[in-house]
Amino acid sequence: MLTGLVCTLPVTPAYAATTPAGWEAGALGLSSAQRLSQGEGVTVAVLDTGAVADHPALRGRVTTGPDYRKDGLDPQSPKWGVHGTAMASDVLKVAPKAKILSVRVLNDQDKEKINEGHLVQGGAGAIANGIYYAVDHGADVISMSLGSGAVGNYANEDDLAAVGYALSHGVPVLASAGNSGDKLNETSFPSGYAGVIAVAATDRSGARAAFSTVHTYNEVAAPGVDILSAKNTGGYKKVDGTSPAAALASGVVALMLSRNPNLTPAQTRAILTGTADHPQGGWNALVGYGQINATAAVKDAASPPADKTAPVKYQGKEHFATPVGTSKTTHPDMEQSLWLTGLGAAGVGLLLAVGGLLLVLGGRRKGNSGMAAMAPPSGPFGA
């Protein structure tokens, strides 16, 4: 695995203005990929905390959409666009001639509730509104370096419907897998939604980064450690997380779509997973189908596999909830008599267990009286 900077592409004005590339350039194979495409004609919607459009790495490439977070901050605030500016620059690092549509759906302070690069949702409906806006305003790719990632997390019907809207309009959706792999490893949305390409993070060795969430929804991986990214206040900083991994992956998709604008989301997914550097066995929950190979993906974009996805009639058994209108994502309240009965049974069981324990302890005390001076017993539980 190459870990150094091997990009030898002749410098163009667009590329020179982007964030300096690091080890991820060699890991993804950007040198050869950018000879084939640099993202011309492609718009990547970055749904995040906002992007500072006049940063040298972004200047002339960013269109700013609405602010669905609605927290009163503006682009002049140093608390505005910290994460989003970094992610936009990572997209352009891969696809320097692409355009960025920045839609603010998060507040940078939200991430403090979880960890760096793994953000919670902003206001109710912010992400769904951002997706709809992006699709309706020319986005070719949607990049979401964010996630809900809380214990007891659940799917959001509005967000899921918005993802479906994007896919049905031919717009691939990518999201970061989550940064809780070294903690509670919580399920994260939107990466967990069907149709979303979930991106895990790798380290310099090409293996899963220690923080990257391990889950069956992981499809591909990209570098996510020490990724030099633009700062909203100017300059650059190194960022860790599945956030930069998703942004870099979105840049690769921009390269693919620039080479073949007719790629469908299904074809995009098939090419990314088919050309990735597969782990042993072809797939695992750590890195999905493996780290993205940008050069192979861009080459295959020119002659993609046939898209055989289409609506089909369900041929299985009738589901008990159809057609009575019961929601597929919520559950009815449990009858009070049932849970009270269960609670009572649990209480009785707990009392019996405590009583048995007290009897055992009482017997041990009687048996041990007057024996304190004896040596401890031999065997596996002895001294």
Side-chain angles (χ1 to χ4, degrees):
M1 178 71 66
L2 294 175
T3 57
L5 176 59
V6 297
C7 183
T8 58
L9 183 72
V11 174
T12 65
Y15 186 68
T18 61
T19 307
W23 68 273
E24 68 278 5
L28 292 172
L30 293 186
S31 176
S32 298
Q34 289 176 338
R35 289 193 181 97
L36 300 172
S37 168
Q38 291 199 13
E40 300 92 332
V42 175
T43 297
V44 180
V46 176
L47 274 57
D48 213 288
T49 66
V52 177
D54 62 355
H55 190 287
L58 277 63
R59 189 174 294 133
R61 313 307 302 171
V62 177
T63 298
T64 300
D67 182 350
Y68 290 113
R69 185 61 175 84
K70 301 183 186 301
D71 57 359
L73 293 179
D74 59 48
Q76 281 67 50
S77 170
K79 296 182 179 181
W80 190 97
V82 178
H83 191 263
T85 301
M87 296 306 101
S89 74
D90 289 338
V91 172
L92 291 176
K93 181 187 298 185
V94 177
K97 291 185 179 179
K99 294 181 179 179
I100 299 293
L101 173 58
S102 173
V103 183
R104 192 168 185 263
V105 299
L106 300 167
N107 181 309
D108 277 294
Q109 280 61 58
D110 290 336
K111 68 180 172 61
E112 298 176 2
K113 300 175 183 177
I114 304 179
N115 51 48
E116 176 71 19
H118 187 189
L119 307 181
V120 298
Q121 293 188 15
I127 291 176
N129 285 331
I131 293 173
Y132 286 122
Y133 180 90
V135 174
D136 293 341
H137 289 79
D140 301 296
V141 188
I142 294 178
S143 180
M144 295 189 287
S145 293
L146 53 90
S148 43
V151 176
N153 187 33
Y154 58 91
N156 181 291
E157 291 184 0
D158 294 335
D159 292 351
L160 183 57
V163 168
Y165 181 78
L167 298 176
S168 67
H169 284 72
V171 180
V173 180
L174 291 84
S176 50
N179 294 342
S180 64
D182 55 351
K183 297 178 181 178
L184 295 177
N185 203 56
E186 305 100 338
T187 299
S188 178
F189 294 106
S191 57
Y193 293 139
V196 174
I197 299 173
V199 185
T202 53
D203 59 22
R204 290 174 181 266
S205 72
R208 178 188 74 94
F211 53 78
S212 186
T213 296
V214 180
H215 207 287
T216 54
Y217 57 60
N218 287 342
E219 293 199 72
V220 289
V225 176
D226 291 337
I227 307 302
L228 193 63
S229 309
K231 293 175 60 177
N232 66 322
T233 54
Y236 304 91
K237 65 177 180 179
K238 290 183 177 180
V239 175
D240 293 349
T242 56
S243 283
L248 294 171
S250 298
V252 174
V253 173
L255 298 181
M256 295 164 61
L257 289 172
S258 180
R259 187 162 173 81
N260 183 355
N262 296 318
L263 286 178
T264 67
Q267 290 173 323
T268 300
R269 177 194 303 271
I271 293 171
L272 281 177
T273 57
T275 59
D277 298 327
H278 294 166
Q280 186 174 3
W283 177 92
N284 62 41
L286 304 175
V287 294
Y289 288 95
Q291 185 164 268
I292 290 173
N293 183 325
T295 301
V298 175
K299 286 181 178 178
D300 280 17
S303 54
D307 185 347
K308 298 181 179 179
T309 59
V312 295
K313 184 178 180 180
Y314 178 60
Q315 300 295 330
K317 297 180 179 179
E318 290 188 15
H319 192 279
F320 72 93
T322 304
V324 297
T326 301
S327 172
K328 310 298 189 300
T329 57
T330 58
H331 302 283
D333 295 332
M334 183 181 291
E335 292 185 16
Q336 187 173 10
S337 60
L338 290 177
W339 70 262
L340 284 176
T341 300
L343 183 62
V348 172
L350 179 61
L351 289 174
L352 290 174
V354 172
L357 179 61
L358 291 175
L359 289 173
V360 171
L361 291 176
R364 286 182 178 177
R365 291 194 188 98
K366 292 179 181 179
N368 290 335
S369 60
M371 299 174 63
M374 294 182 63
S378 61
F381 299 105

